Amino acid sequence: MLQQELVEEAMRRALGVARRGPVDDPNPQVGCVILDADGRIVAEGWHRGSGTPHAEIDALAHLPGPWRGRFAELTAVVTLEPCNHTGRTGPCAEALRDAGIGAVVYALDDPGRASSGGAATLRAAGIEVRGGVLAGEARALLGAWLARQGAADASAPSPLPRPRVTVKWAQTLDGRAAAADGTSRWITGPEARADVHRRRAEADAILVGTGTLLADDPELTARDAEGALLVPASEQPIPVVLGHRGIPEAARVRAHPALASRGVPEPLRLPGDDLPAELAGLAERGIGSLFVEGGPRVASALIAAGLADELLVYVAPALLGGPRLALGDLGIPSMAGIARLAVRERLELGADLLVRADRVSRATPDSPAPGDHASEEG
């Protein structure tokens, strides 16, 4: 194994390249550098977001040709323990093992129940492994992601691991998500709807409430303007239904292409009685990102519970009036409890406006019961 000072210098470089990855992705920012026997960097890589190669795979792909037959002389320095499970990509621990890497150094243990154990896999193959190098610096980089894994301090919104949750809704300028008779198609124009489907395609799962399911019979797929799938069936978001009411046998969601392609017999069900625990169950199934289109009650419940990491609000320059508000009660009785947002993006989509925001503070009321209706996307 290389000297500690060389390893720490390489880890600082790995942390630096990790920051090139997206901050708001469901997956953590991870960097990897590969050193030769003298401690010189011969390749580096980082994770560019969900569905793309992990940092270790990216670094291996950038190795110069002369080194590809000399893996045993190399040391991989990575900011997070190499993963040990198959998601959209294969296990990094197995990729390093199969390449014949000589040694692996990492900063933080992977806290995921499904993804941890990479170090043990490597050691079982006779590879020298050292963990905990610059762990504090890595923990500072990955604070938000660690909180979602239930690995941060008790001040995190949820003490349980969970997916990154994106809550989406469409509304008129006066804050309505549907007309007085309940109809909601179409509040926004084709450009906004196309943007929604593109973002659906990036998620591991898509959630809707039983009210919306029964009222709209949505497909919950990611499609183009002609109705064709944007991504293959195996990459479509898995449908999740929130609420106690049953799913009709003829519901279109039962024919969702992701179910058969992944060997899942029917849409996943969440009763909504304990949202943190139920989201933790999704995380245990390997779901790292959840796209929520559940309607006002579902959106309000997740926001009030502090479980919404990102809000996507599509605003149409139109007025409806009436009682069908885009959000319900958040349990905020006064301005002292106002939920402040950090706006990350404002995007014009045809005549409509997308506001993408993160939660930076939250109220702590009892969550309103989920269950609900009114999502204009099918």
Side-chain angles (χ1 to χ4, degrees), residues 216-287:
D216 297 344
D217 192 22
E219 293 182 44
L220 301 185
T221 52
R223 310 183 301 278
D224 64 20
E226 285 71 44
L229 296 182
L230 276 178
V231 294
S234 60
E235 298 177 20
Q236 287 282 326
I238 294 175
V240 181
V241 178
L242 176 65
H244 288 278
R245 288 179 285 183
I247 303 174
E249 289 299 322
R252 292 193 291 179
V253 72
R254 288 191 178 275
H256 196 288
L259 298 177
S261 68
R262 303 190 193 186
V264 180
E266 62 180 3
L268 304 183
R269 296 301 308 268
L270 303 182
D273 300 325
D274 186 344
L275 286 173
E278 290 161 19
L279 291 181
L282 294 182
E284 289 179 3
R285 298 182 70 113
I287 293 173

Side-chain angles (χ1 to χ4, degrees), residues 9-372:
E9 181 181 352
M11 185 64 75
R12 290 191 178 93
R13 175 61 184 174
L15 288 164
V17 299
R19 292 183 174 89
R20 299 178 186 176
V23 175
D24 56 358
D25 192 76
N27 291 348
Q29 292 175 292
V30 179
C32 175
V33 299
I34 298 178
L35 308 179
D36 67 12
D38 296 318
R40 293 185 295 254
I41 294 175
V42 295
E44 61 187 29
W46 67 92
H47 183 50
R48 291 164 174 80
S50 182
T52 67
H54 288 188
E56 299 94 317
I57 309 303
D58 189 44
L60 289 172
H62 285 92
L63 267 178
W67 284 105
R68 294 185 179 274
R70 302 166 60 186
F71 287 101
E73 302 174 38
L74 303 176
T75 298
V77 179
V78 61
T79 55
L80 185 67
E81 178 187 12
C83 68
N84 203 39
H85 82 303
T86 299
R88 291 190 177 186
T89 60
C92 294
E94 292 184 10
L96 291 169
R97 178 198 65 194
D98 295 345
I101 200 78
V104 175
V105 175
Y106 67 91
L108 287 179
D109 292 335
D110 189 325
R113 296 181 186 178
S115 55
S116 62
T121 294
L122 293 165
R123 289 190 178 103
I127 297 169
E128 188 175 2
V129 179
R130 181 190 302 172
V133 175
L134 300 188
E137 294 183 28
R139 191 172 293 109
L141 172 66
L142 297 178
W145 180 80
L146 289 168
R148 292 198 301 275
Q149 314 313 305
D153 59 40
S155 65
S158 168
L160 297 172
R162 62 175 178 83
R164 176 176 171 82
V165 176
T166 295
V167 177
K168 165 264 171 185
W169 70 84
Q171 67 172 58
T172 58
L173 198 59
D174 58 344
R176 268 60 181 182
D181 64 358
T183 56
S184 60
R185 298 183 180 180
W186 301 103
I187 287 176
T188 57
E191 296 89 350
R193 297 198 296 274
D195 187 77
V196 170
H197 281 272
R198 179 181 65 79
R199 295 176 190 270
R200 280 184 180 183
E202 297 172 350
D204 293 330
I206 180 169
L207 180 146
V208 69
T210 52
T212 297
L213 182 78
L214 296 172
D216 297 344
D217 192 22
E219 293 182 44
L220 301 185
T221 52
R223 310 183 301 278
D224 64 20
E226 285 71 44
L229 296 182
L230 276 178
V231 294
S234 60
E235 298 177 20
Q236 287 282 326
I238 294 175
V240 181
V241 178
L242 176 65
H244 288 278
R245 288 179 285 183
I247 303 174
E249 289 299 322
R252 292 193 291 179
V253 72
R254 288 191 178 275
H256 196 288
L259 298 177
S261 68
R262 303 190 193 186
V264 180
E266 62 180 3
L268 304 183
R269 296 301 308 268
L270 303 182
D273 300 325
D274 186 344
L275 286 173
E278 290 161 19
L279 291 181
L282 294 182
E284 289 179 3
R285 298 182 70 113
I287 293 173
S289 56
L290 181 66
F291 194 85
V292 177
E293 296 203 43
R297 290 182 65 193
V298 167
S300 301
L302 288 165
I303 293 170
L307 297 171
D309 299 293
E310 177 182 57
L311 306 179
L312 297 176
V313 185
Y314 295 84
V315 183
L319 303 173
L320 273 174
R324 303 277 185 166
L325 293 172
L327 277 185
D329 182 20
L330 296 180
I332 301 175
S334 70
M335 287 298 294
I338 191 170
R340 297 288 182 183
L341 306 177
V343 175
R344 303 301 184 193
E345 183 180 17
R346 298 177 182 86
L347 183 62
E348 291 185 11
L349 298 165
D352 306 312
L353 176 67
L354 166 63
V355 178
R356 184 170 69 90
D358 297 340
R359 292 297 302 271
V360 295
S361 67
R362 67 186 182 96
T364 55
D366 292 333
S367 302
D372 91 312

